Amino acid sequence: MYLNPSATSWTAPVTDPDGDPRTVHRALPGFAPTPLIEIPELATELGVGRLLVKDEHIRAGLPSFKILGAAWAVFRGLGGTTGTFEDLKIDPDTTLVSATAGNHGRAVAYLAKLLGIKAHIFIPAGTAPGRIEAIRSEGALVDVVDGDYRVAVAQATARADQDPKALHAADVGNSMTPVWATQGYRTIMHEIDDQLAGVEPDLVVVPVGAGSFASTVVSHYRSDGPRPAILTVEPDSAACLLKSLQAGEPVTVPGPHPSVMAGLNAGDVDGHAWPVLKHGVDSAITVTDEDAHEAMRTLAAANVVAGECGAASLAGARNFLATQKLRPDAVVVLISTEGVHDQAAYDAVISR
Ligand SMILES: Cc1ncc(COP(=O)(O)O)c(C=O)c1O
């Protein structure tokens, strides 16, 4: 575990987007705020006052929160600032290109379908077949690369570089699209604020792959509003953020990253996210596959559907609170970032 006692008092640089991602989000088919679900039994188990789960198992019809980042990144990448996709003139020969561990690529493929353009997605070998098929089902060309996520990123970059009609809709790397994606994720934080109606959380728990989403959470809570502690959670086999925080500089965790938490299987912390995470994360912890599966079962018993990455938040909170004490009336928010990609696989985990 990593602890940074000065993180809560750090203030993040202001990163207001040009335009409001929520305008684009609200215009997506089936868009609605996701629920913040209180689970009193879990608060009792963890020895805290209130436990709430921000449930992203369906977001605008897709099984993860990633559409929020992808939609704003693609909108900005296609030249939009205000309005919605309807206001853009889009070249029908455009191809959206991206690497993915699963969810971002699905969101990009879905957007391409929505906009009547093409998508070409690169995904690491070993990704669960259900996740690959889900991307193909959106009409995208999917290349399963012989390597881990870093290899997929390299191939997507090369593909986008040689095509003037391509928009590289990356959610990691040095371009602007990862920055726009983190701005898009901010919609979750605005919703949590509204749903808490003035109640200030003491601890917010967030699953981490490359750390972009966590950087949104840190930026939001290290400004002029509430300043909860922020706990990041990673698979024990892909703990690039934990290792980087411990070293005080970015550390690569070489693949393969075999965990069941596919969206969290990143070997590098994103370069845009790192400076924010370095200063603003209070605690970082890892979980095993079995921890994540156990958390999926617990959440299912409380009628909350959570896939492996989503349930990682509860698994991390359990591991953290096994040794760290919060006030008995503490308010804890777990962000559950995904739902079900493969119903049979989910049912098999839940029935164990
Ligand atoms: C479901 C889910 N949760 C969390 C994450 C982690 O996001 P980040 O890579 O920005 O840390 C991902 C990334 O793809 C994801 O798919």
Side-chain angles (χ1 to χ4, degrees), residues 55-71:
D55 174 8
E56 294 289 321
H57 91 275
I58 296 178
R59 176 62 88 165
L62 295 183
S64 91
F65 77 107
K66 293 294 278 194
I67 184 71
L68 299 174

Side-chain angles (χ1 to χ4, degrees), residues 63-66 100-104 131 149 171-172 182 185 206-215 262-266 270 308-310 336-339 341:
S64 91
F65 77 107
K66 293 294 278 194
T100 189
N103 289 313
H104 177 68
R131 289 181 189 262
Y149 182 63
D171 64 343
V172 292
T182 59
Y185 301 148
V206 52
V208 165
S212 300
F213 176 48
S215 79
L264 313 185
N265 289 341
D270 183 65
E308 288 81 356
C309 301
S336 177
T337 49
E338 75 176 346
H341 297 269

Side-chain angles (χ1 to χ4, degrees), residues 18-20 23-24 72 75-76 79-88:
D18 291 332
D20 187 350
T23 311
V24 170
W72 183 243
F75 179 73
R76 295 286 279 116
T81 45
T82 57
T84 70
F85 282 115
E86 299 255 294
D87 302 307
L88 298 181

